[in-house]
Amino acid sequence: VAGLAAAGALARAGWRVTLIERGERLRGVGTAQIIHPNGVAALRALGLHLGDLAFPAPPGGIRRPDGRVLVEPGLPGPRNGHPGAPTVRSPVPSDVPSSAPPDSPSSASPEVRPLVSPDVPSPALPGVRSRGAAAGDRAGRAAAAARDRSAPDVPVVLHTDDLHDLLLAALGDKIEIRTNTEVTAVVTAGADWPAVVAGRHTFTADLVVAADGAGSVIRQRLVPRSRVAPAGYTAWRALVPWFRAPRLPEDVPPAGELLGAGMRFAYATLGLRRRAGEPAGVGGDEPTGGGVYWYATAPGAPRPESVSTQLTLLRRWFAGWHSPVAELLAATQVGDLVPQPAVHLSEVPERFGFRVGGGGVVLVGDAAHAITPSLTQGACLALEDAVVLGTLMRTAVPGEGIAERLDEYTRLRRDRVCRLDRVARRLDRVAQVQGRLAVAARDAMLARLATRVLTPAVAAAADWTP
């Protein structure tokens, strides 16, 4: 997400971009993604509109493994953004911006461009050089804006592939994509211009954008003290497609979260889609998408076993949990499951931009500020980064003013991501508690703690405008 969004933002700003991808092709992870209001705002600033690709995250609640309600639907919950149970307040979820002051990174936003739609990437690293931009479609912009004006300002859930397709289609024809190319080093010391090394090739640019994930090779070279640190638990994600998704019992809401001793299980239902152009009842009733997205955590380091064995372990660990946990795990196949180690950075870098000769290197997304997944803000923060970087670089001239703009990028982004890093860790401490007495105390205080402490913090995370 960070690499594609940054590449698109810089291309819009007039830069000529080379996007370097280590995989054989740009592709998504095949699950689903929660996008909060700040992420939706960032997409709009990039000229992208989700349209009917996304589904509003429905109100949910929080229950114990035995089904007893801890936080009723319609009350604030301790983690608005957890993948799967994105809301716990009706009709607006707890992580929607409230009275928290906006954290505006810039008074200007990139030019809005037309609605587009296809996708995919993984750790991507755009190297940037020179200028040249494409024109937009006014009719497309107007239609997309009209659709977005009616969209609720709440979190939405969509297929990860759809988000990646959207970003990929927005790149246009001014971007060169190099796949199957893994960056192994960055050249900065004594250089006139920054460069990255990939095998036998060296790519020199005016600006190198490091969007290569939490384990960023470039960040390790520039900020060696900022290392990946485990959060003490592991997460698993899966999207059960509509044709295998179980029918939920009448008393089970379409989204929600169950909270146990150091373990969580959250889920959200994606709406069913009809064939394009076919109204309901006219050959268009057969669903072609949708399904149920779920997310689970358990304490400990990433499991060394195969994905098949991990799925078996999950079914064993969550056996006896209230519906729909067992049903969803039973319907999940090995190819659906994506293990995800929960990590953060031991130290957020003091700066995200570094001058190299007449150009520079800048960190975006998880490469700059990986936080634990409890907020489900990783993709949203990456989109924010792209908006801010594209805006700052719109008038930049290589060799002139790059350093000042990189300093401004750090100023506009670092305080915000440091605050969200603290919020995510606070949520982890609440949700991941273990021990009979500690769990009982948390469950007894959960609704009050959510209302007074956690919900306002999470609301501030989603409160951002470009």
Side-chain angles (χ1 to χ4, degrees):
V1 172
L4 289 179
L10 288 166
R12 265 180 170 67
W15 291 71
R16 189 171 70 246
V17 179
T18 299
L19 181 64
I20 302 174
E21 165 59 35
R22 67 185 177 190
E24 294 183 0
R25 60 187 180 90
L26 294 169
R27 61 173 182 237
V29 295
T31 60
Q33 182 73 57
I34 300 291
I35 301 294
H36 297 279
N38 55 312
V40 174
L43 285 169
R44 291 174 181 173
L46 292 170
L48 306 177
H49 306 269
L50 294 174
D52 61 0
L53 295 176
F55 306 94
I62 301 178
R63 291 172 289 158
R64 293 197 327 183
D66 62 7
R68 195 188 83 181
V69 175
L70 296 173
V71 178
E72 293 277 0
L75 294 177
R79 63 141 229 110
N80 61 316
H82 213 286
T87 71
V88 288
R89 184 173 56 194
S90 179
V92 180
S94 61
D95 56 333
V96 173
S98 60
S99 58
D103 185 23
S104 177
S106 173
S107 58
S109 61
E111 178 186 359
V112 176
R113 296 297 171 94
L115 175 71
V116 294
S117 76
D119 139 303
V120 173
S122 71
L125 177 72
V128 184
R129 187 166 186 81
S130 197
R131 326 212 82 353
D137 174 1
R138 294 182 181 178
R141 289 201 299 268
R147 280 192 295 272
D148 271 9
R149 277 195 295 270
S150 62
D153 192 17
V154 298
V156 295
V157 59
L158 73 160
H159 288 259
T160 302
D161 285 344
D162 285 341
L163 175 61
H164 289 171
D165 284 343
L166 189 71
L167 294 169
L168 186 62
L171 295 182
D173 58 1
K174 300 296 182 181
I175 293 181
E176 178 186 3
I177 299 176
R178 298 284 190 96
T179 57
N180 205 24
T181 305
E182 182 172 3
V183 170
T184 57
V186 59
V187 179
T188 57
D192 294 329
W193 301 98
V196 292
V197 179
R200 298 180 180 179
H201 301 282
T202 298
F203 297 87
T204 302
D206 299 312
L207 180 67
V208 169
V209 181
D212 50 343
S216 171
V217 170
I218 293 180
R219 189 194 66 249
Q220 291 173 23
R221 165 66 177 80
L222 298 173
V223 194
R225 292 181 304 175
S226 181
R227 300 175 181 174
V228 175
Y233 64 94
T234 298
W236 292 265
R237 298 186 295 153
L239 177 63
V240 181
W242 63 269
F243 54 85
R244 274 195 277 113
R247 182 180 296 275
L248 301 182
E250 291 295 330
D251 60 342
V252 172
E257 179 175 6
L258 294 92
L259 206 56
M263 299 170 66
R264 291 174 276 180
F265 192 98
Y267 66 96
T269 302
L270 282 74
L272 299 180
R273 302 178 192 166
R274 306 184 186 281
R275 289 194 176 98
E278 292 184 334
V282 188
D285 288 330
E286 181 182 347
T288 58
V292 180
Y293 173 52
W294 64 260
Y295 171 100
T297 70
R303 304 295 304 188
E305 298 91 350
S306 66
V307 175
S308 175
T309 300
Q310 291 183 51
L311 180 56
T312 300
L313 289 172
L314 287 171
R315 290 169 177 165
R316 182 187 307 163
W317 294 338
F318 287 93
W321 282 47
H322 196 271
S323 181
V325 177
E327 297 95 315
L328 288 173
L329 287 172
T332 301
Q333 295 183 356
V334 173
D336 303 327
L337 190 64
V338 179
Q340 178 186 9
V343 300
H344 61 92
L345 296 186
S346 60
E347 177 181 320
V348 178
E350 287 294 326
R351 51 183 176 146
F352 298 151
F354 306 83
R355 180 166 189 170
V356 181
V361 178
V362 62
L363 308 175
V364 299
D366 284 351
H369 45 67
I371 64 175
T372 63
S374 55
L375 272 177
T376 60
Q377 278 283 349
C380 297
L381 292 177
L383 293 169
E384 290 182 16
D385 289 346
V387 171
V388 175
L389 183 64
T391 300
L392 290 173
M393 293 298 167
R394 183 182 297 152
T395 58
V397 177
E400 300 178 15
I402 291 286
E404 291 79 4
R405 285 171 172 82
L406 294 180
D407 289 343
E408 181 70 357
Y409 174 79
T410 296
R411 187 187 71 80
L412 293 172
R413 298 302 299 152
R414 189 176 186 277
D415 286 349
R416 172 165 170 77
V417 299
C418 283
R419 287 198 303 273
L420 298 197
D421 179 56
R422 292 192 295 269
V423 170
R425 296 195 207 186
R426 192 175 304 135
L427 292 176
D428 286 341
R429 288 194 293 271
V430 171
Q432 297 297 143
V433 296
Q434 300 180 57
R436 185 171 58 85
L437 293 179
V439 171
R442 179 204 59 194
D443 292 353
M445 299 176 59
L446 193 57
R448 182 168 56 183
L449 182 65
T451 303
R452 296 185 178 182
V453 180
L454 299 178
T455 296
V458 177
D463 195 0
W464 177 89
T465 54

